[in-house]
Amino acid sequence: MSALTRRTVLKGSALAGAAAAVPAGAAALKQAGLVVFDSRLPESLAFARTAGAVRTLDLAAEHDAHFATIRRGVPQGKSLEGLTRWSDWVALRSELESHGWRVTSEQIAAPRQRLLRWSMTRR
C-alpha cells in the first residue's frame, strides 16, 4: 500500500489541470475564424490539425508570397488563433493590428523552438 506523498498530489494536480485546459483550447480553435500556423514546424502543424474545418493560413506558403494574404486583409470573423515563431508573430501582429485586430492573449508554447500561442479579436 503506498502512502499519499506531496509528489503524487502534485502530479495528480498537474494532470487534472492539463486535462481541463485541452478542451478549452480545442473549443477556442473550433470557434476561430482563422487559424494561423507554419507547416514547417511539427508542433504548429499538429496545432492546425486540431482546428477541424476552420479556415487555416499556412505561413510556409505566406513566406513565399511575401505575406500577400495578410496584407490584403484577413477574412471577416471574430477571432484569430495561432501558433507561430516569435519572429513571425511580431510581423503578423503589426500587420493585423493595422487591419483592426487586437491581441487577447500571448503564451510561450515551446521555449526551445521559440513558438508562441496567440489569439486576436476584432476591435
Side-chain angles (χ1 to χ4, degrees), residues 14-123:
L15 290 173
V22 169
L29 281 179
K30 300 283 185 208
Q31 295 172 1
L34 183 68
V35 173
V36 181
F37 72 104
D38 189 335
S39 63
R40 298 169 293 185
L41 307 169
E43 299 89 352
S44 190
L45 183 58
F47 169 79
R49 288 183 176 158
T50 64
V54 174
R55 284 192 59 182
T56 58
L57 180 68
D58 184 0
L59 290 182
E62 283 299 300
H63 277 280
D64 293 340
H66 304 288
F67 293 92
T69 304
I70 300 294
R71 285 186 281 117
R72 282 194 307 263
V74 176
Q76 297 297 325
K78 292 190 177 194
S79 68
L80 301 174
E81 301 290 331
L83 181 65
T84 61
R85 287 188 181 117
W86 174 257
S87 56
D88 288 328
W89 168 235
V90 171
L92 283 168
R93 183 180 59 206
S94 176
E95 187 64 32
L96 291 168
E97 285 175 340
S98 73
H99 287 283
W101 292 91
R102 66 180 177 84
V103 176
T104 55
S105 73
E106 293 179 339
Q107 300 172 9
I108 296 173
R112 286 189 174 175
Q113 290 84 16
R114 298 183 186 160
L115 293 179
L116 189 75
R117 170 72 170 87
W118 52 268
S119 301
M120 296 183 93
T121 60
R122 281 267 185 212
R123 288 186 193 169

